[in-house]
Amino acid sequence: MDKFAIRGGNRLHGTISVSGSKNSSLPILAATLLTRERCVLHRVPDLTDVRYMLDILRYLGADVEFSQGSVVVEARKVVGETPYDLVRRMRASVCVLGPLLARCGRAKVSLPGGCVIGDRPIDLHLRGLEALGSRIALSKGYVIAEASGLVGARMSLQGPHGSTVLGTDNVMMAACLARGTTIVENAASEPEVADLARFLCSMGAKVRRAGGSRLEIEGVDELHGAEHTVISDRIEAGTFAVAAAITRSELVLEEAPIEHMRSTLSALQDAGVFVEAAEGRLRVRATDPLHPLQLRTGTYPGFPTDMQAQFCALAATIPGRSRIEDDIFPNRFMHISELKRMGAHADLLANVAVIDGVDRLSGAPVMASDLRASAALVLAGLQAENTTTISRVYHIDRGYERIDAKLRAVGADIERLPK
Ligand code: EPU
């Protein structure tokens, strides 16, 4: 298991190119199962999670090639079953459920299991697929969904914390091959869901967003192969924007999906960070003093839960009291105890982090617990005095393409120590 050693305190300067989106790529890869024809995807980031998804597609019978950011998938024949050993590695593998059900009439997918960011049920996915006429059974850790022909339906995907991203994806993919029209109220409206819808439309599906959170899907008999370029990763871009802020530096982000980053950028601006967007490039510059933050996560276009940990790290370096609340994943605060090991003054009150910033964090050995928590520790390490070593960085490799190399190229002192 690799570690990172970060000697903090360097100012960053230069340009970072943003990669394709992880959370777009994963469901779009799953959607290639909906056709026997060849699909070609570009700007797919080389991440562990992407490689897991490619393994799942291969297991299911697809021919898969991945080279220089492009994936070619041809799923002439597929089997409808994914075993626990593959699914347990990544929760997002649950998004093969909808495509397999639509293509094979039966899907047996291992339940994704526990997750360090909290309880992550899939009841809304199952409710949506049942509404389309499938029978669902849970047996020995597997979801078994069967349908002798899916039928369009009207449904709501409203859950206790808003809609569901992958649940919307699953229902949308299944509904593309259902008979008749499906109307999904309270569908997730994250840019990654819209990217999947665009890919499905290029395969011949009829998906349209009718007003804010309503999706209308008119079923078709079959889908054909298609070529698609994945959108840029708004969370990776946001993480690098925070890297500029936390080191009080200036970075330019190329291919940043500025339109999708409004809430992240306005949180930075509220803190006093200078943000300028022009021609797909984002310039982020921070100098002291910055102002404490008051943030609350929400579904898109609200402030993303996937940026919460990184902003906790930033808040830990801004004198004054910040308050950061996560309403989407109330237990997603594993980074707080690690940030405290680095000298942060922070307390957790239920799903609210109350953080009293200090001038300088101090380097310490810390442990990555999940993807975004690890990103927060990297950011904290960039600002801290002395050396921070982060173990279990495989978590960060799941969702950030060569983060160490990208940061090193703009002046960070970060080294990967293989173990
Ligand atoms: N929920 C339910 N029932 C369900 C599904 C979800 O109650 O059937 C609840 C969840 O417990 C949570 C809320 O609804 O409180 C939102 O969860 P959602 O289903 O939207 O999350 P997801 O689709 O499993 C995706 C991203 C996550 C991101 C969330 C929220 C992918 C592969 N994953 O997960 O990304 O945090 O949406 O935006 O797209 C990450 O990239 O680090 C990551 C965790």
Side-chain angles (χ1 to χ4, degrees), residues 77-96:
K77 278 193 185 150
V78 293
V79 295
E81 188 166 332
T82 54
Y84 176 65
D85 267 356
L86 285 177
V87 171
R88 74 180 166 81
R89 299 195 221 152
M90 177 181 67
R91 200 184 172 284
S93 45
V94 72
C95 63
V96 299

Side-chain angles (χ1 to χ4, degrees), residues 121-187:
I122 58 163
D123 56 306
L124 296 168
H125 302 227
L126 303 184
R127 195 166 84 195
L129 296 175
E130 267 177 337
L132 295 176
S134 65
R135 293 171 303 282
I136 307 268
L138 300 181
S139 166
K140 297 178 187 160
Y142 281 82
V143 183
I144 302 164
E146 286 178 314
S148 43
L150 295 170
V151 184
R154 181 183 278 270
M155 68 183 79
S156 161
L157 289 179
Q158 177 68 33
H161 307 286
S163 190
T164 161
V165 172
L166 292 176
T168 301
D169 291 345
N170 253 329
V171 168
M172 179 163 64
M173 290 188 277
C176 285
L177 292 180
R179 191 156 30 89
T181 301
T182 297
I183 295 179
V184 184
E185 306 285 1
N186 305 112

Side-chain angles (χ1 to χ4, degrees), residues 316-317 335-346 355-364 366 380 383-385 388:
T317 70
H335 43 283
I336 291 295
S337 47
E338 298 302 291
L339 289 172
K340 282 165 93 165
R341 291 172 46 73
M342 299 179 68
H345 294 173
I355 302 172
D356 291 308
V358 295
D359 285 332
R360 193 85 194 266
L361 295 168
S362 48
V366 288
Q383 197 265 2
E385 271 174 341
T388 298

Side-chain angles (χ1 to χ4, degrees), residues 84 87-92 110-121 141 369-370 395 398:
Y84 176 65
V87 171
R88 74 180 166 81
R89 299 195 221 152
M90 177 181 67
R91 200 184 172 284
S110 172
L111 282 165
C115 174
V116 74
I117 70 177
D119 188 27
R120 295 181 71 181
S369 57
D370 71 81
H395 285 293
R398 297 183 58 166

